[in-house]
Amino acid sequence: MMVAMNKQSGSNGVFAKTGGKLLGVLSYDSAVSQTLLNVWAVFVIAVLGWLFLLPQVAFILLVGWQPTHVAVWLGVLSLIPIGPGLTAIFAASRAVLAERGYPGHLTRTFFASIRQASRGQILVWAIASVAELFVAYDIALFGTAPSVFVPAVALAMLMAVLLMASAATEPTTPHGTVLSLREYMAAMLVVVARKVYVPLTWLFLLIVVAMLSRIPLVGSMLLLFAPGLWGLLAALVTTMFRFGATAVGER
């Protein structure tokens, strides 16, 4: 009987140890749980990001690029949500990095960043829309001649960099003081000039994510996660190189 009791207590001890290890693996602070939470956060950001890309996707599928007034205007209108979407993706991705896990109210953070956008960010969105219209008409009227096409592409890339920079640059100093429109625009341009390699890295990451999404079999899944994955990588680069809120205070 004593032997049987010892065996039973030994088996109970093994089960207790196994259960303790399993609970440790599944606890909120464990590496497994944090990884799953981060994957879920990237998925949420990706889905929300695609909401702002849907007009462009609809334009490509339903209209497509044509050298006509209707196509040019519809194409430019479909690009307008990208500026606010970039701002929201950066804000949500930074929240994920700051929380080191899935932060509460991620959707609220996403849309609050658009509602609370500074006048400088809104101005950049407006300038980008005008530049997009100029580039679209330039290519529609003059075709792909190098003398026209190269400057148009350069202007488009410049506006893409400014849109990303405005999304990553906080409208306040590290001390919480709200920057005026002139101060914000000056700070953003100075930061871009000093650390131009950061926006170039964002563009490079965007190209990498787009190329990975074309891989057979897994490409469609990566495409679904693309906005969130790019946002998280871009926010990580932004934090590593102190681009944004800290850099504004270093002007």
Side-chain angles (χ1 to χ4, degrees), residues 20-59:
K21 290 181 179 180
L22 183 60
L23 290 175
V25 170
L26 298 179
S27 66
Y28 180 82
D29 295 328
S30 68
V32 174
S33 296
Q34 290 297 307
T35 301
L36 292 175
L37 289 172
N38 284 327
V39 171
W40 174 249
V42 171
F43 174 75
V44 172
I45 296 173
V47 171
L48 295 174
W50 273 115
L51 294 178
F52 290 81
L53 293 172
L54 280 179
Q56 177 60 200
V57 174
F59 168 77

Side-chain angles (χ1 to χ4, degrees), residues 159-250:
M159 294 315 304
V161 167
L162 290 181
L163 277 175
M164 294 179 185
S166 68
T169 305
E170 296 288 346
T172 58
T173 65
H175 305 291
T177 304
V178 179
L179 297 172
S180 65
L181 177 60
R182 181 182 62 82
E183 290 174 335
Y184 175 82
M185 295 299 292
M188 185 189 67
L189 294 176
V190 169
V191 170
V192 172
R194 287 181 178 177
K195 301 183 178 182
V196 67
Y197 52 86
V198 176
L200 293 178
T201 304
W202 297 335
L203 290 176
F204 173 74
L205 291 173
L206 184 60
I207 295 172
V208 170
V209 171
M211 292 179 64
L212 290 176
S213 65
R214 299 179 65 87
I215 298 176
L217 300 179
V218 298
S220 57
M221 182 61 66
L222 290 174
L223 184 62
L224 176 62
F225 280 82
L229 181 61
W230 176 83
L232 196 63
L233 293 174
L236 182 61
V237 171
T238 302
T239 304
M240 288 174 56
F241 292 103
R242 297 164 59 86
F243 189 101
T246 304
V248 170
E250 296 174 352

